């Protein structure tokens, strides 16, 4: 059931992404209600699928990240009244669901897995994944900002000009995602520490995962610091967000390659 | 055609297609002139009237017979144009009748008949015309204008006819909107005080932009615009320092060469701390040195750029015309069905009254011949006559109501009147 639901979710996200990309491929734009209905339907099914999963391992984490991204995409669409966020969030979420399916999604029945269903752990995973998703949203807003900036500077009035949100709104979205993302991830990290202290000897966590988690937290903290304390905005802040998110991805890939076969490491 | 005894919905007017600007501006009625003009037409027999007067059209929407109301309208307009051509003011005008008149107003409200296709200002003007004329509109025009506003909203919501911007000035607003998002509360500096500068400044002001300064070589004109838009007039030389704080700079001077140069404003803009500055150069020849655009966070657009944006919007809007026309036709059908029903209901009532009178008369005659019947039998015969009449009338009544709902009431109504010798209402 979980795999079937994920396959349907994959199809809905994929279709939603195709519709969002259509105007950039010279096709007529689809009606806005349809652009929202497809990811909405996908997210609803996705919630059902995830509620049956144990939040342990790579597959469930990727699936949860995809769901968070789609929910943030829908919230952004509501706030910005534009489908531009779907241009990047859509393919990313679709790819994440695909990777989750490839990594394996099972309900999990081991004592360890059942133990991991306690509230501390579930909350830790939910908050951490939400923090990373918000960081990804900040990255998406920054990328859209730079694209729109380039078009406006070059006086090109094509699809990007027409369909992307205004620069200031993208800048605000980036700032909002970082400012909400940092405390969310911080809370996720604190819950992990609390979980470790409360249930010592519980789940085994690889050192690589701790390194990557802390690195992500530091990078996100730095991105917030430059925005809030150094008052970076606009293009400079966009470059900072893109650099930070890219660094997080690169470190993840590097650690994954350096520690093959560590199942628990995300 | 639905015709309530020769009285029908009529539109008489002139618009941007039939009359040049110098003629249209003479026909334009201020809000205070509308009740008086309509009162004259009403005195000539019109049952209801609304006057829609904008810079692109002056139209009388009337529920009336053709004469003498038409003559009154033409003479009313003729008085405003003493040097009318030989054919009189009618040469500039047009008349649209009945369902076409309904369709006409719906197209006007939707922006399909506007000079700039799909422009949204007209909907507000239709609303204003209706509100000013409300006391004289009457029930038919009241409903017509109400539905016209609904059609305008439907077209703008369900199609892309109002998408984008279709003039250089409004394109400037759109481009600034792509930088700042919500323009309300932003500040603008206006260089120049010509018509174009004033129009573009008004467009910005309409979006909530605060016009802080109007700079011009001659202070008098700058002061007039500044006062109207709530800003302050300064000389051009005093304006450069404000490039450090303003969000939008709108340039439209008559200078023969660039006045906003790197040397004048480069160091000032550099001190903005990366805040974006949108410069709209509407002047020909250009007011702004293109080198200024190389500064970080300066977005410079000239007339060609803004006309490109406007042209794209117009082209896109044209693609939406068929969808908008479909909505107009659909809504015109709905209105026409309602309007058709207005004539059918009294006709049905009259038809039934006549038949009932006929039944009563015939019953009375036959009862005189059947004097031997008991009271109980007489009651049965009366019941029989009532039931028979009711059965006879049922199908024609249903058919007439159905035809009226489909906008085909008039044909059946005419047949009914001829077959049963009913006179059309006066």
């Amino acid at each position: 059931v979980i795999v079937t639901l994920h396959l349907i979710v994959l199809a809905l996200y994929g279709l939603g992404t195709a519709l969002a990309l259509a105007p950039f491929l010279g096709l007529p734009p689809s009606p806005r209600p349809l652009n929202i209905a497809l990811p909405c339907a996908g997210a609803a099914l996705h919630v059902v699928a995830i509620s049956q999963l144990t939040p342990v391992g790579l597959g469930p984490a990727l699936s949860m990240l995809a769901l968070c991204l789609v929910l943030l995409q829908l919230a952004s669409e509501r706030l910005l009244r534009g489908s531009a966020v779907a241009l990047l969030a859509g393919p990313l979420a679709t790819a994440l669901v695909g990777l989750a399916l490839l990594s394996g999604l099972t309900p999990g029945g081991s004592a360890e897995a059942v133990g991991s269903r306690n509230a501390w752990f579930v909350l830790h995973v939910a908050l951490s994944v939400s923090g990373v998703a918000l960081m990804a949203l900040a990255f998406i807003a920054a990328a859209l900002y730079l694209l729109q900036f380039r078009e406006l500077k070059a006086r090109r009035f094509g699809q990007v000009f027409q369909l992307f949100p205004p620069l200031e709104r993208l800048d605000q979205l980036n700032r909002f995602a970082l400012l909400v993302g940092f405390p969310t991830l911080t809370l996720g990290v604190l819950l992990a520490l609390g979980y470790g202290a409360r249930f010592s000897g519980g789940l085994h966590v690889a050192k690589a995962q701790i390194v990557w988690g802390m690195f992500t937290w530091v990078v996100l903290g730095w991105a917030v610091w430059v925005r809030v304390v150094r008052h970076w905005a606009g293009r400079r802040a966009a470059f900072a967000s893109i650099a930070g998110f890219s660094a997080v991805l690169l470190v993840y890939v590097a650690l994954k390659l350096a520690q093959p076969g560590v199942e628990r490491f995300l | 055609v639905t015709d309530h005894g020769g009285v029908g919905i009529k539109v008489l007017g002139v618009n941007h297609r039939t009359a040049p600007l110098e003629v249209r501006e003479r026909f334009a009625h201020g809000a205070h002139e509308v009740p008086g003009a309509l009162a004259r037409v009403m005195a000539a027999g019109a049952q209801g009237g609304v006057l829609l007067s904008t810079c692109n059209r002056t139209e009388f929407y009337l529920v009336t017979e053709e004469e003498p109301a038409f003559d009154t309208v033409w003479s009313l307009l003729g008085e405003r144009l003493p040097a009318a051509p030989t054919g009189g003011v009618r040469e500039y005008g047009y008349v649209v009748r009945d369902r076409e008149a309904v369709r006409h107003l719906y197209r006007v409200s939707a922006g399909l008949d506007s000079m700039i296709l799909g422009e949204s200002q007209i909907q507000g003007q239709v609303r204003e015309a209706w509100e000013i004329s409300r006391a004289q509109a009457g029930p038919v025009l009241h409903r017509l204008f109400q539905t016209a506003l609904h059609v305008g909203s439907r077209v703008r919501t369900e199609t892309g006819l109002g998408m984008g911007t279709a003039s250089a000035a409004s394109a400037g607003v759109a481009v600034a909107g792509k930088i700042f998002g919500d323009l309300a509360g932003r500040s603008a500096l206006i260089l120049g005080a010509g018509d174009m500068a004033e129009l573009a400044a008004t467009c910005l002001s309409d979006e909530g932009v605060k016009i802080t300064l109007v700079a011009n070589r001659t202070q008098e004109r700058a002061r007039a615009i500044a006062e109207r838009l709530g800003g302050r007039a300064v000389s051009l030389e005093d304006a450069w320092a404000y490039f450090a704080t303003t969000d939008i700079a709108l340039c439209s001077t008559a200078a023969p060469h660039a006045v906003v140069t790197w040397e004048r404003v480069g160091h000032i803009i550099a001190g903005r701390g990366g805040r974006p500055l949108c410069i709209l150069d509407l002047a020909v020849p250009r007011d702004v040195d293109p080198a200024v655009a190389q500064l970080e966070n300066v977005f410079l657009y000239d007339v060609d750029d803004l006309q490109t944006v406007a042209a794209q919007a117009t082209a896109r809007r044209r693609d939406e015309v068929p969808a908008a026309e479909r909505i107009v036709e659909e809504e015109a059908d709905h209105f026409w069905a309602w309007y058709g029903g207005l004539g059918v209901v009294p006709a049905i009532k009259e038809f039934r009254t006549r038949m009932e009178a006929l039944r009563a008369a015939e019953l009375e005659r036959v009862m005189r011949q059947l004097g031997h019947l008991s009271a109980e039998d007489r009651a049965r015969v009366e019941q029989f006559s009532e039931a028979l009449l009711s059965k006879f009338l049922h199908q024609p009544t249903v058919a007439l109501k159905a035809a009226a709902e489909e906008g085909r009431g008039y044909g059946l109504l005419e047949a009914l009147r001829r077959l049963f010798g009913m006179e059309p209402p006066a």
Side-chain angles (χ1 to χ4, degrees):
Chain A
V1 175
I2 290 170
V3 172
T4 310
L5 280 173
H6 270 82
L7 283 170
I8 299 170
V9 167
L10 183 70
L12 287 169
Y13 288 172
L15 204 55
T17 303
L19 289 181
L21 287 168
F24 294 87
L25 303 171
L27 299 167
S30 51
R32 190 173 141 78
L34 187 63
N35 282 345
I36 294 174
L38 282 173
C40 257
L45 287 177
H46 207 158
V47 169
V48 175
I50 283 179
S51 66
Q52 297 175 39
L53 270 176
T54 306
V56 177
L58 183 59
L62 291 176
S63 180
M64 284 176 78
L65 185 58
L67 175 64
C68 284
L69 258 179
V70 171
L71 293 176
L72 288 171
Q73 171 201 321
L74 288 167
S76 309
E77 286 215 4
R78 173 98 184 135
L79 294 173
L80 300 177
R81 283 198 65 78
S83 55
V85 172
L87 289 174
L88 297 179
L92 199 54
T94 310
L96 287 170
V97 174
L99 281 173
L101 279 163
L102 290 174
S103 309
L105 292 164
T106 48
S110 67
E112 186 188 46
V114 171
S116 71
R117 279 179 181 274
N118 80 49
W120 281 72
F121 187 80
V122 171
L123 206 58
H124 151 67
V125 173
L127 287 170
S128 303
V129 168
S130 299
V132 174
L134 280 159
M135 197 180 184
L137 180 67
F139 164 81
I140 289 167
L144 295 177
Y145 181 97
L146 291 177
L147 281 168
Q148 180 71 293
F149 184 96
R150 199 185 61 170
E151 296 296 291
L152 283 166
K153 262 302 220 190
R155 307 169 187 196
R156 281 193 294 261
F157 307 105
Q159 295 292 357
V160 170
F161 172 80
Q162 299 293 341
L163 300 174
F164 278 30
L167 282 182
E168 292 247 330
R169 222 169 282 168
L170 288 168
D171 192 44
Q172 285 164 3
L173 181 65
N174 172 274
R175 185 184 164 86
F176 171 82
L178 291 174
L179 290 185
V180 177
F182 182 63
T184 307
L185 188 63
T186 305
L187 215 57
V189 171
L190 288 175
L191 278 168
L193 295 174
Y195 179 82
R198 175 82 173 73
F199 304 103
S200 54
L203 284 176
H204 165 75
V205 181
K207 272 185 187 162
Q209 184 168 339
I210 296 169
V211 169
W212 181 71
M214 291 315 292
F215 178 75
T216 304
W217 182 77
V218 168
V219 167
L220 190 51
W222 169 77
V224 172
W225 180 73
V226 295
R227 284 219 69 138
V228 176
V229 182
R230 302 294 304 272
H231 301 294
W232 284 16
R235 217 149 65 109
R236 205 144 51 136
F239 278 127
S241 286
I242 289 173
F245 190 70
S246 305
V248 167
L249 281 183
L250 284 174
V251 168
Y252 173 81
V253 172
L255 286 170
K256 191 79 179 165
L257 291 173
Q259 294 227 332
V262 179
E263 286 176 9
R264 287 281 161 248
F265 177 44
L266 298 177
Chain B
V1 174
T2 296
D3 189 325
H4 298 160
V7 175
I9 303 171
K10 316 276 175 11
V11 183
L12 291 86
V14 295
N15 69 14
H16 57 93
R17 268 189 278 274
T18 63
L21 179 62
E22 57 269 26
V23 173
R24 293 200 311 272
E25 65 191 8
R26 283 177 172 272
F27 292 153
H29 285 64
H32 63 285
E33 297 174 294
V34 170
L38 286 176
R40 276 180 64 180
V41 186
M42 305 283 272
Q47 294 172 11
V50 174
L51 174 52
L52 173 63
S53 186
T54 72
C55 54
N56 284 329
R57 68 186 66 244
T58 296
E59 290 178 332
F60 284 83
Y61 289 82
L62 303 172
V63 175
T64 184
E65 287 182 338
E66 303 223 342
E67 301 302 341
F70 278 25
D71 276 342
T72 308
V73 170
W74 294 130
S75 66
L76 207 147
L77 293 177
E79 287 162 16
R80 293 174 167 249
L81 196 69
T86 45
V89 75
R90 288 172 201 241
E91 265 193 25
Y92 293 119
Y94 48 85
V95 177
V96 192
R97 296 175 177 82
D98 303 310
R99 189 184 180 283
E100 273 308 298
V102 174
R103 188 171 162 271
H104 176 79
L105 178 61
Y106 286 179
R107 294 186 80 251
V108 168
S109 183
L112 283 162
D113 199 49
S114 296
M115 191 181 255
I116 296 166
L117 183 66
E119 57 102 1
S120 58
Q121 207 182 359
I122 186 66
Q123 196 167 3
Q125 290 163 335
V126 168
R127 180 186 298 279
E128 201 182 340
W130 172 43
E131 280 168 1
I132 292 169
S133 314
R134 195 174 275 209
Q136 290 147 303
V140 172
L141 291 182
H142 182 76
R143 183 166 175 126
L144 179 63
F145 273 75
Q146 221 172 12
T147 51
L149 292 171
H150 168 68
V151 172
S153 300
R154 261 197 78 187
V155 165
R156 285 179 182 84
T157 313
E158 294 176 28
T159 74
L161 196 74
M163 200 166 54
T165 48
S167 70
S170 54
V173 171
V175 169
K178 279 291 175 187
I179 296 165
F180 299 112
D182 189 6
L183 291 180
R186 298 282 171 184
S187 60
L189 158 68
I190 316 296
L191 297 186
D195 289 345
M196 182 53 113
E198 188 174 5
L199 174 68
T202 306
C203 281
L204 287 172
S205 180
D206 288 347
E207 295 295 318
V209 174
K210 195 169 177 293
I211 309 295
T212 49
L213 287 177
V214 181
N216 198 39
R217 287 201 192 283
T218 55
Q219 289 277 297
E220 198 180 328
R221 176 96 176 116
R223 207 169 290 127
I225 298 176
E227 274 174 19
R228 195 170 70 74
L229 298 174
R232 195 160 59 85
V234 293
S235 69
L236 275 178
E237 286 65 35
D238 292 336
W240 311 129
Y242 292 94
F243 275 80
T245 52
T246 192
D247 294 310
I248 301 163
L250 199 153
C251 310
S252 185
T253 75
H257 49 74
V259 289
V260 182
T261 58
W262 178 281
E263 291 73 28
R264 273 185 179 139
V265 298
H267 63 287
I268 297 168
I269 295 173
R272 291 174 60 89
R275 280 193 308 117
L277 169 65
C278 175
I279 304 179
L280 305 170
D281 185 358
L282 301 175
V284 178
R286 286 178 294 177
D287 275 345
V288 186
D289 176 4
V292 173
Q294 289 168 19
L295 287 159
E296 173 81 7
N297 283 9
V298 168
F299 300 91
L300 169 62
Y301 304 99
D302 60 26
V303 165
D304 278 359
D305 299 324
L306 299 178
Q307 277 173 353
T308 304
V309 175
Q312 282 176 349
T314 308
R316 272 196 309 279
R317 286 177 178 191
R318 262 188 220 113
D319 296 339
E320 300 293 323
V321 168
E325 293 280 13
R326 271 196 297 279
I327 292 172
V328 166
E329 291 297 335
E330 188 187 312
E331 294 287 346
D333 283 344
H334 284 160
F335 180 86
W336 206 237
W338 172 82
Y339 185 58
L342 284 185
V344 164
V345 171
I348 290 174
K349 212 171 164 182
E350 190 196 342
F351 176 53
R352 293 188 79 100
T353 309
R354 275 178 172 240
M355 293 300 110
E356 176 56 31
L358 199 64
R359 183 197 67 82
E362 286 302 308
L363 185 70
E364 196 185 333
R365 192 178 59 78
V366 84
M367 285 302 181
R368 275 201 300 272
Q369 293 164 7
L370 300 172
H372 61 281
L373 291 182
S374 66
E376 197 178 312
D377 288 342
R378 289 171 79 88
R380 270 193 199 139
V381 171
E382 189 167 355
Q383 270 174 10
F384 166 75
S385 73
E386 281 171 356
L388 194 63
L389 180 66
S390 184
K391 284 205 189 293
F392 278 147
L393 292 184
H394 176 73
Q395 188 51 37
T397 307
V398 169
L400 262 172
K401 280 183 177 167
E405 277 169 18
E406 290 162 15
R408 299 181 292 105
Y410 182 66
L412 280 184
L413 210 59
E414 274 299 300
L416 189 78
R417 283 177 180 149
R418 281 171 189 242
L419 287 171
F420 292 91
M422 289 158 58
E423 289 299 314

